[in-house]
């Protein structure tokens, strides 16, 4: 079976909505529709039929068009059963360890609490695609609004365990600002220095920095490296528990 055909749609100031299309059946899913019009336009331009919504979490910039798209196109909405009360129009409730079959493509559902308590991620191994919402960003991670630092570190560690060639389809273009912060805590990391320069050239050319490769995130994203002794030392917490290092780095970023 051919991998999913994935299209990235920039909306609002810095959100990405994704279409993932199965060529054999013509089914098309939308990940985190913040708004409807650009999503419908992108599907129509390709002659694709919208059939499903996958939500990662309840925030309005991820679920804003759920009801409008469902009313207009009869979409099936998939979201966290744990957070069903906050996912507008939810039809299919999924949770950690579930697989969801989309037109023969198996999505592995991972609970990744921290940004919100009900945040989930969808990993399509057959397409090397991870839809991780606001949990993992290119060179960053989401703010910890509802969960604990311990939960967020465990969530990021679970995502980190996926293969290096996984493409990280995160929900925001925050990478350039994330790079500036990352350099402030991990500026001696040559892979990070090189990546930050590449990000600057991409943005100068008006190009997206998303998706990134998970292997690159493992080498350069400080929020995936809280158990690296060099990073712990860089934030003055040599030999500390990774959760303490993660919490320190997250706190530094919140105040950056
Ligand atoms: Zn969010
Ligand atoms: Fe968001």
């Amino acid at each position: 079976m051919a991998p999913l055909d994935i299209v990235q749609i920039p909306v609002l100031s810095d959100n990405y909505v994704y279409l993932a299309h199965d060529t054999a059946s013509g089914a098309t899913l939308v990940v985190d529709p913040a708004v409807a019009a650009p999503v419908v336009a992108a599907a129509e331009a390709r002659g694709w039929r919208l059939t499903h919504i996958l939500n990662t979490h309840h925030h309005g910039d991820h679920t804003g068009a759920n009801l409008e798209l469902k009313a207009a196109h009869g979409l099936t909405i998939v979201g966290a059963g744990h957070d069903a009360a906050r996912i507008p129009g939810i039809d299919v409730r999924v949770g950690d360890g579930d697989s969801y079959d989309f037109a023969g493509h198996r999505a592995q559902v991972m609970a990744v609490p921290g940004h919100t308590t009900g945040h989930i991620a969808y990993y399509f191994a057959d397409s090397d695609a991870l839809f991780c919402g606001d949990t993992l960003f290119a060179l960053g991670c989401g703010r910890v609004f509802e969960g604990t630092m311990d939960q967020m570190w465990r969530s990021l560690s679970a995502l980190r365990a996926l293969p290096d060639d996984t493409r990280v389809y995160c929900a925001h273009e925050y990478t350039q600002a994330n790079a500036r912060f990352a350099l402030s805590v991990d500026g001696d990391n040559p892979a990070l220095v090189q990546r930050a320069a590449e990000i600057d050239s991409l943005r100068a050319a008006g190009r997206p920095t998303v998706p990134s490769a998970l292997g690159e995130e493992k080498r350069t994203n400080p929020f995936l490296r809280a158990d690296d002794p060099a990073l712990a030392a860089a934030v003055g917490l040599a030999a500390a528990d990774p959760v303490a290092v993660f919490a320190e780095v997250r706190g530094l970023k919140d105040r950056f």
Side-chain angles (χ1 to χ4, degrees), residues 15 57 59 61-62 115 134 137 171-172 174:
N15 278 77
H57 67 295
H59 285 155
D61 62 318
H62 300 257
H115 178 69
D134 290 357
F137 292 130
H172 290 273
Y174 288 158

Side-chain angles (χ1 to χ4, degrees), residues 27-30 50-54 75-78 100-102:
T28 306
L29 65 80
V30 189
L50 296 172
T51 53
H52 296 73
I53 289 172
L54 302 191
L75 302 177
T76 298
I77 300 180
V78 182
Y100 181 74
D101 182 283
F102 167 70

Side-chain angles (χ1 to χ4, degrees), residues 115 134-144 149 152-153 156 174 178 217 221-224 246 249-250 253-254:
H115 178 69
D134 290 357
T135 296
L136 174 63
F137 292 130
L139 281 181
C141 76
R143 280 182 185 254
V144 180
M149 292 293 177
M152 190 63 157
W153 170 244
L156 291 167
Y174 288 158
N178 287 343
E217 298 303 330
N221 186 328
F223 298 98
L224 294 185
F246 174 78
V249 176
R250 187 59 260 180
K253 174 69 166 66
D254 290 345

Side-chain angles (χ1 to χ4, degrees), residues 57-116:
H57 67 295
H58 74 88
H59 285 155
D61 62 318
H62 300 257
T63 59
N66 271 23
L67 296 179
E68 185 180 344
L69 289 172
K70 185 175 180 176
H73 303 271
L75 302 177
T76 298
I77 300 180
V78 182
H82 177 68
D83 217 4
R86 298 194 291 180
I87 305 292
I90 188 169
D91 296 299
V92 180
R93 301 166 185 226
V94 294
D96 192 46
D98 287 352
S99 30
Y100 181 74
D101 182 283
F102 167 70
H105 301 269
R106 179 179 173 274
Q108 177 186 334
V109 178
M110 304 169 73
V112 285
H115 178 69
T116 67

